[in-house]
Structure formats: structure tokens, C-alpha cells
Amino acid sequence: MRLYFKAFKLNIRSFMQYKASFILSFISQLITVFSYYFIIIALFTKFDNIKGFTLYEVLLCFGIIQFGFSFNELFARGLDQFDRLIIDGGFDRLLLRPKNIIIQVLSTDSDLTKSARLLESFVIIIISLIKLNLSWTFLKALTLILMLISSCIIFFGIFLISASYCFFTIQGLEFRNLLADGGKHIAQYPIGIFKKGILYFFTFIIPYGFVNYYPLLYLLGRKDNMLYAFSPLVVLIYLVPCFSLFYKACKRYASTGS
């Protein structure tokens, strides 16, 4: 991890060399997330609720998913842009170094401007919690923390799968957009509002439901079963095939010759 933090510091220094560019990019990222936020606000000007979920309950879902996605865009950018390493032959150099390959990939890139999205999603979560005025207990606080952590974990797993896909197709933009961006836009709403096919897919295939739907039901007091509170831990199981797929794909790697 020392290698990763050293590389991250170097990336920060490189961004700060062009302060005006960084500030403009930071503002543009704030506007991007605000546009998603505005769409949800606009939707609730026409409806009081969506299948029983109120505005701030949906915004809490939105904030948690955006938090995890933004966290990985900031700290796992190397995986998100993995196809570049394949195309330019940079992955060949990483294989020659006696360090963990995933740590090396994570160290190749980071985008400090994505911290704007991370900050804004955190603010949305805080505002939603204040407006919901929940009756807090230790277990509910723990549930919220697990939701945030599992949100980061699930997108890390998706980035790993997308990187694995690049070994076979070289460029994986469409596949990455399908799983990460497409899934993110669906999961920013409570999964339970969708039809059963979508609910099952995003619960048992890509477990977004265990990130911000089942634990949300416990957080809001709609379910008393403690299994709902600890359901985000299921995402840890999801990481196992993600890592396995990545390392198996590494063994099949053939250089592009760049």
C-alpha cells in the first residue's frame, strides 16, 4: 500500500501544477452530480412518492450509490481506465515488477477532480438523514456505515470485472458503462420499485440490493430483522469471483505489441 499512497501523492502534485484547470474540472464534476440530483427533485414535483418511498429516502439511496461510485473513480481510477494499459502495452511493464499487480494498476492513475462528486454525494446523504429525522440506534448507525462501505466494495468489484473483460476485447468501455454507469443509474433508486426480474438480477447477480435497498428497509424502520442490517456484508462474497476472474484473465493475457 505504500506504493499506492506514494503514487497518489504524485498524482495530486501533478493536478496542482495546473490549478485553474483543476478548479474548472472540479466545478464541472459538481454540476454533473447536481444534474442527477435535480432530475430526482423534478420527478418528485409530480409525485409524492415512488411505491411508498419519499423524496429524501430516494435521495439517501442516490447519495450512497454515488458515494461508492465516486470513491472508486477517485481511488481506483487505474482499474476504471484499465483498457489504456492494455492498448499502450503498459501492462507488460507492470508484470515485470515484483509487486502486487492490482496495487500497481491502482497506482497508475487517479483523478482528483472526482473528489467533487464524493463530497457532493456525502452532503446529499447528510441532508437526507437530517430531513428523514430517523430514530437512531447503534445498530442503525452501523447499518449506514456498512451501506457506505459496501457501496465502495461493489463498484470496486465491478471495475475488476470490467478490467478482466479488457483482456479479451482490449477495449472495454461499453461493458464498463453497462455494469457501472447503467447499474448506478438503476441502483440510485430503491431496487424494490422495479419489476421482479430487475430486482432479482440486481440482488443475486450484481448485488446492489444488498447495498442500499434491504439495509435501507431496516434503517427506515420498515423491517426489524437484523439480517437486513447486516445484509451489506453479502457484497464481500461478491468480491471473491471478481478477484478470481481478474487473476484468471491475467494468465490469459497476450500483449498487444504496442
Side-chain angles (χ1 to χ4, degrees):
M1 291 302 293
R2 185 184 301 175
L3 171 66
Y4 173 79
F5 287 117
K6 186 174 182 179
F8 189 75
K9 288 179 182 178
L10 291 174
N11 282 318
I12 292 176
R13 289 178 61 183
S14 67
F15 269 98
M16 291 299 101
Q17 294 299 313
Y18 304 95
K19 292 183 177 61
S21 175
F22 169 74
I23 292 171
L24 290 174
S25 297
F26 188 89
I27 293 172
S28 70
Q29 294 296 328
L30 287 174
I31 294 172
T32 299
V33 175
F34 180 78
S35 66
Y36 300 148
Y37 171 80
F38 178 77
I39 289 171
I40 296 176
I41 296 292
L43 179 66
F44 275 89
T45 60
K46 299 295 183 181
F47 305 98
D48 292 332
N49 66 83
I50 302 178
K51 283 198 172 181
F53 290 94
T54 63
L55 170 61
Y56 289 104
E57 290 171 350
V58 172
L59 284 178
L60 182 58
C61 271
F62 168 80
I64 289 170
I65 286 296
Q66 287 290 338
F67 180 88
F69 185 75
S70 303
F71 182 90
N72 280 277
E73 280 197 311
L74 175 59
F75 295 107
R77 188 68 173 174
L79 282 174
D80 190 30
Q81 302 293 321
F82 186 76
D83 48 358
R84 295 182 182 178
L85 287 174
I86 300 293
I87 293 169
D88 65 15
F91 192 71
D92 297 23
R93 295 191 299 271
L94 300 187
L95 291 174
L96 296 173
R97 299 168 182 168
K99 296 289 183 181
N100 181 277
I101 193 65
I102 292 180
I103 295 297
Q104 289 190 71
V105 172
L106 293 176
S107 303
T108 57
D109 193 15
S110 59
D111 189 348
L112 193 60
T113 62
K114 301 300 182 182
S115 59
R117 296 190 180 199
L118 190 66
L119 175 63
E120 193 165 6
S121 61
F122 186 73
V123 170
I124 291 171
I125 291 170
I126 296 299
I127 293 173
S128 300
L129 292 173
I130 292 172
K131 292 292 185 179
L132 287 172
N133 194 26
L134 300 174
S135 178
W136 287 101
T137 63
F138 172 77
L139 192 54
K140 285 188 176 182
L142 179 61
T143 301
L144 179 62
I145 293 171
L146 291 177
M147 291 170 74
L148 293 171
I149 294 173
S150 65
S151 182
C152 298
I153 291 174
I154 193 170
F155 283 108
F156 183 79
I158 289 172
F159 283 7
L160 274 175
I161 294 174
S162 300
S164 305
Y165 179 77
C166 294
F167 285 111
F168 303 98
T169 62
I170 301 179
Q171 293 184 341
L173 180 62
E174 294 80 7
F175 187 77
R176 182 172 68 241
N177 288 342
L178 176 65
L179 289 182
D181 292 323
K184 177 190 69 174
H185 286 298
I186 289 178
Q188 68 188 19
Y189 296 92
I191 299 296
I193 70 173
F194 298 105
K195 292 184 177 181
K196 287 186 177 180
I198 296 176
L199 173 63
Y200 292 153
F201 181 85
F202 286 107
T203 298
F204 300 109
I205 306 301
I206 304 177
Y208 283 114
F210 293 112
V211 173
N212 71 338
Y213 176 60
Y214 297 110
L216 178 70
L217 296 178
Y218 182 84
L219 194 64
L220 297 176
R222 299 188 183 188
K223 297 290 183 180
D224 295 328
N225 193 327
M226 288 180 58
L227 291 177
Y228 283 80
F230 292 101
S231 61
L233 295 176
V234 172
V235 178
L236 293 173
I237 301 173
Y238 172 72
L239 271 185
V240 175
C242 293
F243 275 104
S244 177
L245 179 62
F246 181 82
Y247 283 117
K248 286 182 179 179
C250 281
K251 293 178 181 179
R252 296 175 62 92
Y253 171 67
S255 176
T256 57
S258 301

